[in-house]
Amino acid sequence: MVTKLADLEVYLVGGAVRDQLLGRKVLEHDYMVVGASQQQMLDLGFQQVGKDFPVFLHPETKDEYALARTERKQGQGYTGFICYAEPDVTLEQDLIRRDLTVNAMAQAPNGDLIDPYHGQQDLDNRILRHVSPAFSEDPLRVLRVARFAARYHQYGFTIADDTLELMTNIATSGELKALSAERVWKEMERALTEPNPEVFIEVLRACGALKELWPELDKLWGIPNPVEHHPEICSGEHTMLVLKQAVKLSAEPKVRFAALCHDLGKGLTPEAKWPKHYGHELAGVKVIEQVAARLKVPNDYKLLAAKVSQFHLNVHRAFELKPSTVLKLLEQCEYQRKPELLANILLVCRADSLGRMGAEHNDYPQADYIAELANVGKQVIAKPFVEQGLQGKAIKEAMTAAKINVIAEKKAELLAKLS
Ligand SMILES: Nc1ccn([C@@H]2O[C@H](COP(=O)(O)OP(=O)(O)OP(=O)(O)O)[C@@H](O)[C@H]2O)c(=O)n1
């Protein structure tokens, strides 16, 4: 009979066991409780937090404690689960419903590892492998595996062949379409923070999930670019190179998302026009809006991606732009109200330029050049024009003329230095 906390049969489970064995920092401790009822947990002072599952917060540590449970799928989609969490559910029964063997290990309080599905062996061999056919019960696991592959690529992990086959079956069955946009986006966003987000995209592509979830991106493979600017030719390959450069430049997932989106407009170029892509910048904005609406992408991600798509070629051509065009570009990038937006646009443009085969170590002086012109533009203020007695529209016109002047002066100075 469980009457005090010390009587509970408790195991550390999931990511904490995995990451501890990998020598990684453990941020979250999840525990499983075997042999207790929901009422006993409440009587011990645990606070129930799970709506769908019996998950509780420890009265003192606030760590998550879940009752051992089995789950069976009922119908399509995530909500259709029959969950059973009575005290007779065993540790092994709970572990077998989990996604990957490396996630299906438990550790007893005395340190013993309970590993009925050989997670440690897979961990040592650097393999992501599903535990059982129950893997398919939650299609989101296709994205989870791709995300773990992106995270653990640095340790040499690969996906077991039969797991990739299972993921392919899930993707081609159309079941990914039943996932809510919120769950899909959450996985994508997390994947974008990993050290190798390009692996996430490559895995999704390899199992056919990218085509289902993000066809506008999937389409870029096979669309050529002019070889003189893009020795890698393929737009999909180029996008992966840009993403890798973006990872080097910024930890911000929205910068990485914008890198993925910057050439989506190329998917709309009629084949007869290949390998050129006139107008893909503006065409891409519509595609990004469509992707953002479908995946419920946050507005700041959408805004950055759309601006990068629209203006990346202009930024690349920065030195050729007239001062008035530079000012227009800066204003369209909301350079005064949102300095971070312009800084991120310039980062992605740099990633785009360096994300071409053989260009990895090139310089990208356009970014500093635009940033410096923005700085001088910002310094023009309304006060002197107001003091001259100008009003309303006249102040705005005078300020614009003054901004163009200071930009022209700075442009001449910077170009003289660069030449
Ligand atoms: N769709 C899911 C979600 C979770 N789990 C299981 O629940 C555990 C905890 O899930 P979560 O906290 O999402 O993942 P972690 O493995 O802890 O990974 P992360 O480090 O990304 O938090 C996982 O280890 C896995 O055993 C699962 O099998 N299927």
Side-chain angles (χ1 to χ4, degrees):
M1 186 62 190
V2 180
T3 53
K4 48 185 198 297
L5 279 175
D7 293 337
L8 279 180
E9 185 183 342
V10 171
Y11 300 89
L12 183 67
V13 285
V17 181
R18 176 197 67 219
D19 285 341
Q20 192 176 290
L21 288 171
L22 268 175
R24 279 169 66 94
K25 204 166 160 205
V26 174
L27 299 172
E28 242 180 53
H29 291 88
D30 293 328
Y31 294 92
M32 189 206 300
V33 178
V34 178
S37 69
Q38 303 204 22
Q39 192 54 50
Q40 284 168 335
M41 296 297 281
L42 295 173
D43 292 347
L44 289 171
F46 282 85
Q47 182 195 344
Q48 182 146 11
V49 285
K51 264 194 285 120
D52 307 324
F53 308 119
V55 181
F56 302 83
L57 296 186
H58 189 281
E60 283 139 35
T61 64
K62 304 292 172 202
D63 283 331
E64 277 196 5
Y65 284 65
L67 292 184
R69 65 179 189 259
T70 61
E71 277 169 5
R72 249 182 323 114
K73 197 175 179 186
Q74 183 197 45
Q76 274 239 327
Y78 183 62
T79 46
F81 275 114
I82 302 171
C83 169
Y84 179 81
E86 294 305 317
D88 61 332
V89 178
T90 65
L91 180 62
E92 288 75 12
Q93 281 173 329
D94 180 295
L95 294 177
I96 202 170
R97 70 169 172 81
R98 292 175 182 255
D99 51 4
L100 296 171
T101 60
V102 296
N103 289 344
M105 296 182 272
Q107 192 182 39
N110 67 2
D112 284 354
L113 192 70
I114 296 103
D115 182 20
Y117 310 109
H118 313 296
Q120 180 152 39
Q121 190 183 319
D122 283 339
L123 201 85
D124 292 342
N125 293 328
R126 306 301 198 222
I127 290 183
L128 300 171
R129 187 195 309 280
H130 66 285
V131 179
S132 81
F135 178 90
S136 308
E137 298 198 343
D138 181 6
L140 189 76
R141 288 172 169 171
V142 171
L143 286 102
R144 280 177 59 87
V145 176
R147 173 165 66 78
F148 286 123
R151 186 192 293 173
Y152 299 126
H153 178 78
Q154 55 182 325
Y155 304 109
F157 273 81
T158 57
I159 300 172
D161 288 346
D162 50 350
T163 302
L164 194 65
E165 202 180 308
L166 207 54
M167 291 161 68
T168 308
N169 292 343
I170 296 170
T172 49
S173 74
E175 274 197 79
L176 295 173
K177 295 256 187 339
L179 292 169
S180 71
E182 286 81 5
R183 290 187 85 207
V184 171
W185 173 251
K186 204 167 154 216
E187 286 299 325
M188 285 189 174
E189 191 177 28
R190 290 184 74 185
L192 287 171
T193 66
E194 300 296 356
N196 292 93
E198 75 286 358
V199 171
F200 175 76
I201 301 294
E202 280 157 10
V203 169
L204 292 185
R205 197 170 95 81
C207 69
L210 195 63
K211 198 170 176 188
E212 293 291 302
L213 297 168
W214 196 344
E216 302 86 347
L217 179 59
D218 188 69
K219 211 173 165 182
L220 296 187
W221 275 265
I223 297 184
N225 288 295
V227 69
E228 5 11 310
H229 301 300
H230 286 278
E232 72 285 354
I233 301 175
C234 167
S235 300
E237 292 304 325
H238 165 59
T239 300
M240 292 300 96
L241 294 176
V242 178
L243 177 59
K244 285 193 210 171
Q245 290 297 333
V247 168
K248 287 193 200 167
L249 296 171
S250 172
E252 275 277 345
K254 69 179 160 214
V255 167
R256 299 166 177 200
F257 177 74
L260 278 174
C261 291
H262 82 284
D263 268 350
L264 289 183
K266 289 183 178 171
L268 297 180
T269 311
E271 212 173 313
K273 300 263 164 60
W274 291 356
K276 298 239 187 269
H277 298 279
Y278 292 118
H280 77 276
E281 309 101 287
L282 205 54
V285 174
K286 283 244 147 52
V287 183
I288 288 164
E289 278 164 5
Q290 173 187 317
V291 171
R294 189 179 65 245
L295 295 174
K296 300 201 177 156
V297 175
N299 279 338
D300 55 334
Y301 281 69
K302 180 172 78 175
L303 180 69
L304 175 61
K307 295 291 181 195
V308 168
S309 175
Q310 189 171 350
F311 298 118
H312 64 285
L313 293 194
N314 266 0
V315 177
H316 295 336
R317 285 193 294 259
F319 303 131
E320 297 157 36
L321 304 181
K322 291 186 296 189
S324 58
T325 313
V326 170
L327 181 61
K328 210 165 138 204
L329 169 71
L330 293 174
E331 284 173 349
Q332 285 173 302
C333 296
E334 303 179 62
Y335 78 118
Q336 291 203 281
R337 237 166 31 90
K338 297 184 179 157
E340 188 218 41
L341 175 62
L342 180 64
N344 283 336
I345 292 169
L346 297 177
L347 274 185
V348 188
C349 289
R350 186 189 294 273
D352 181 30
S353 180
L354 273 57
R356 294 173 297 145
M357 198 189 274
E360 300 80 4
H361 304 295
N362 283 4
D363 228 4
Y364 190 67
Q366 290 93 324
D368 287 345
Y369 174 78
I370 292 285
E372 293 218 38
L373 298 185
N375 272 340
V376 294
K378 257 185 224 171
Q379 280 155 27
V380 174
I381 52 170
K383 199 169 164 227
F385 305 107
V386 175
E387 284 169 0
Q388 278 171 30
L390 296 181
Q391 284 182 341
K393 213 170 137 209
I395 299 176
K396 197 160 176 259
E397 283 167 3
M399 283 180 75
T400 300
K403 284 177 186 175
I404 292 172
N405 265 335
V406 291
I407 289 173
E409 277 169 25
K410 194 72 185 176
K411 172 180 161 142
E413 180 196 321
L414 293 175
L415 290 187
K417 265 197 228 160
L418 280 168
S419 62

